[in-house]
Amino acid sequence: MNVITNCLRDKSSSCALVPFITAGYPNINICIQALKVLDKNGADIIELGVPYSDALADGPIIQEASQVALQQGIYIEQVLYILKTVIPDLNAPIIVFTYYNPILVRGVNKFISEISAAGAKGLIIPDLPLEEVDYIIELCDFYGIELILFIAPTSSESRIQLILSKSPGCIYLVSSYGVTGIRDSINLKIKHLADSIKSKTNKLIMLGFGINKTDQVQEILNWNIDGIVVGSAMINQMMGNFSQETLDSLGRFCQELKSCMNIKNTKKEYI
């Protein structure tokens, strides 16, 4: 059962909102509070990133959050604790976002079984080699986890076709070249890429990397996109001297983005 795909399909708004935060940032207790705030303020799905020191796709904001978390000893055990503690109180399903090396170190079967037992419903591994996708999908299927595969703007047509043929559920479309981070605009070439993907498959698409403000969200609502991931801008709301106002600010920002998505857009057409 692909819980994440079903959530994208059953969304009540024009697009699903998928906030991303780093596990254990700025500490475990605040991270748990932040997840609850996102859930109560419009998040349809939540991505929780496993801190990693060599994250090639992460921009400076997420890298800084990872470093802070790692300095406090946030590793797989602590991430599992966060999941087990918070998931019973959430409506939004959680996707675990992690690079492949921490999974290999932990043991692939052990890692996937543990995140499943902790209540996670999805898994994203941005640097997963295509040669190993079938094995990971088999394990994820067994443990009830939806593996979400990446398509980048640089992906060749043959690679896109292969990813679409292997993907068990939804697709994560990278909205920009390079690493994550706050950007002033969204590359319009991604719209055409999304149209191309939708012409080949009925799989749903989440769009992420660089989306950080309401006018970008409003623009994307016209595209063939089913979910919008906002990461660096969410974590940015949590930076600085932490106080209750920080959580309030995070909640307002999440609510503001969700409000844009609740506006039904008659221009949006699916192929």
Side-chain angles (χ1 to χ4, degrees):
M1 181 179 178
N2 290 331
V3 171
I4 305 303
T5 289
N6 290 341
C7 190
L8 290 174
R9 182 177 292 117
D10 298 340
K11 61 191 179 296
S12 59
S13 54
S14 299
C15 235
L17 175 59
V18 188
F20 169 103
I21 63 172
T22 300
Y25 178 82
N27 59 50
I28 286 178
N29 289 335
I30 293 170
C31 176
I32 289 171
Q33 292 179 61
L35 290 167
K36 292 178 180 179
V37 165
L38 294 172
D39 185 61
K40 290 176 182 176
N41 286 278
D44 296 289
I45 301 163
I46 301 173
E47 280 185 33
L48 187 65
V50 176
Y52 185 51
S53 59
D54 193 24
L56 298 178
D58 290 348
I61 292 174
I62 296 178
Q63 282 185 8
E64 181 180 341
S66 286
Q67 286 302 317
V68 170
L70 288 170
Q71 287 166 7
Q72 297 184 74
I74 307 297
Y75 298 101
I76 301 297
E77 287 292 346
Q78 291 71 32
V79 175
L80 292 170
Y81 170 80
I82 292 169
L83 292 171
K84 291 174 184 175
T85 301
V86 76
I87 283 176
D89 296 326
L90 302 182
N91 291 311
I94 285 192
I95 300 169
V96 174
F97 183 108
T98 180
Y99 289 86
Y100 198 29
N101 191 60
I103 297 178
L104 292 174
V105 170
R106 185 80 175 179
V108 178
N109 187 83
K110 181 179 181 182
F111 177 84
I112 295 172
S113 68
E114 286 177 332
I115 65 168
S116 174
K121 299 300 180 183
L123 175 62
I124 295 175
I125 311 169
D127 58 345
L128 177 64
L130 269 179
E131 297 77 17
E132 301 191 36
V133 163
D134 291 340
Y135 172 57
I136 303 298
I137 288 174
E138 184 180 345
L139 286 174
C140 284
D141 284 349
F142 181 79
Y143 289 111
I145 296 288
E146 181 173 347
L147 181 68
I148 300 163
L149 301 181
F150 261 41
I151 291 179
T154 54
S155 298
S156 66
E157 184 63 30
S158 60
R159 184 178 177 86
I160 290 172
Q161 290 283 12
L162 186 58
I163 291 169
L164 292 177
S165 69
K166 289 181 177 293
S167 173
C170 61
I171 297 292
Y172 191 119
L173 177 58
V174 177
S175 67
S176 57
Y177 297 87
V179 299
T180 62
I182 294 173
R183 288 174 173 81
D184 293 330
S185 61
I186 303 297
N187 191 335
L188 283 177
K189 290 181 180 179
I190 305 303
K191 178 183 184 299
H192 301 305
L193 181 53
D195 288 341
S196 175
I197 292 169
K198 286 281 188 173
S199 72
K200 298 178 177 70
T201 182
N202 60 0
K203 295 180 189 297
L204 305 186
I205 300 174
M206 293 193 300
L207 183 72
F209 281 47
I211 302 163
N212 63 90
K213 49 190 177 182
T214 55
D215 60 342
Q216 293 173 341
V217 168
Q218 288 168 342
E219 180 182 0
I220 293 166
L221 292 181
N222 290 316
W223 299 8
N224 277 322
I225 297 297
D226 305 286
I228 298 175
V229 181
V230 181
S232 295
M234 286 291 174
I235 295 172
N236 199 44
Q237 297 291 320
M238 300 169 65
M239 289 187 158
N241 295 322
F242 183 82
S243 65
Q244 180 59 43
E245 173 57 28
T246 309
L247 285 175
D248 294 341
S249 175
L250 179 67
R252 286 193 299 269
F253 180 59
C254 188
Q255 212 168 52
E256 184 181 346
L257 293 173
K258 186 61 179 179
S259 295
C260 293
M261 298 174 184
N262 285 333
I263 300 171
K264 295 297 180 183
N265 199 315
T266 56
K267 293 182 181 178
K268 187 172 183 178
E269 296 179 356
Y270 287 92
I271 294 173

